[in-house]
Amino acid sequence: EITKSYTTDVLGHTDANGKLNLTNVPTNVSTQMYYYSVKKDGYQSIIQGVTVNEGTNEVEIALDPLPGKARVTVKSGTNILVGAMVILEDGSSKTTNIYGRAIFETVTSGEVVFKARMSGYASQSITATIAPGNTYTDVEINLVALDPSELATLTVIPNVNLNMYPVSIRLEDSTGFVLNPDSQTGTEVIFNNLGPGAYTICGSYNG
């Protein structure tokens, strides 16, 4: 819906192609601009100004979708998992609380990929459709416990000049999760309870 800015005068609604044709629009006087507001359910409204010249004028408007909220519950079977990490595609993350829930107050609406991981469990990803607005979209991720005999400890000893310590070492698993070490003693960086699979070792110094 497009209206005259700061009024309730509706100029019209866009068609199936997202277009609205307005005729007999007065051209601007001097540097004064013509302002209008655009709104659509599920999107953030905007107010935009345009200088109208004689002849045909084309204006392109981009509306951003309203963000939504997500409430992610992580389980293993019927048991909730406290302390599981839930990560979004943009890298933001939350840890599940005592109810096994990770609460995201601001999430891009539409299809969103959630990744969950917890030590001793196989990582899992799920795609959920997040509704715009203030209502929480409930998402549930179920993690499968790994056989203790499959778990391993990895010790990383960076091959760097001693003057460069401390060095930051992280692992990235096959799902894209970044894993921080469980402990670091001297030059040894230790990761516990790793499941089978391929991992990428990432190291950095001074940030």
Side-chain angles (χ1 to χ4, degrees), residues 152-199:
T153 295
L154 174 66
T155 300
V156 180
I157 303 177
N159 183 18
V160 297
N161 188 308
L162 291 177
N163 292 328
M164 293 178 63
Y165 280 95
V167 176
S168 176
I169 301 293
R170 302 177 306 280
L171 289 183
E172 184 174 314
D173 67 14
S174 59
T175 68
F177 274 113
V178 174
L179 315 177
N180 292 314
D182 294 291
S183 63
Q184 183 166 347
T185 304
T187 60
E188 292 187 349
V189 182
I190 301 172
F191 298 85
N192 295 319
N193 297 322
L194 296 178
Y199 295 85

Side-chain angles (χ1 to χ4, degrees), residues 13 36 144:
H13 297 79
Y36 56 88
V144 177

Side-chain angles (χ1 to χ4, degrees), residues 70-165:
R71 184 167 46 204
V72 185
T73 302
V74 182
K75 295 182 175 181
S76 180
T78 58
N79 299 319
I80 62 171
L81 296 180
V82 178
M85 180 75 72
V86 180
I87 303 176
L88 300 182
E89 292 175 292
D90 62 6
S92 60
S93 64
K94 298 286 185 179
T95 301
T96 55
N97 57 25
I98 60 174
Y99 304 106
R101 292 173 176 171
I103 308 298
F104 293 87
E105 296 293 342
T106 303
V107 183
T108 301
S109 57
E111 290 196 345
V112 177
V113 177
F114 295 88
K115 298 178 180 180
R117 181 187 184 278
M118 188 170 183
S119 179
Y121 295 82
S123 301
Q124 181 67 37
S125 297
I126 190 171
T127 300
T129 301
I130 304 301
N134 292 319
T135 301
Y136 287 97
T137 298
D138 286 308
V139 180
E140 184 172 305
I141 304 176
N142 203 296
L143 301 185
V144 177
L146 296 171
D147 189 314
S149 64
E150 297 180 317
L151 302 179
T153 295
L154 174 66
T155 300
V156 180
I157 303 177
N159 183 18
V160 297
N161 188 308
L162 291 177
N163 292 328
M164 293 178 63
Y165 280 95

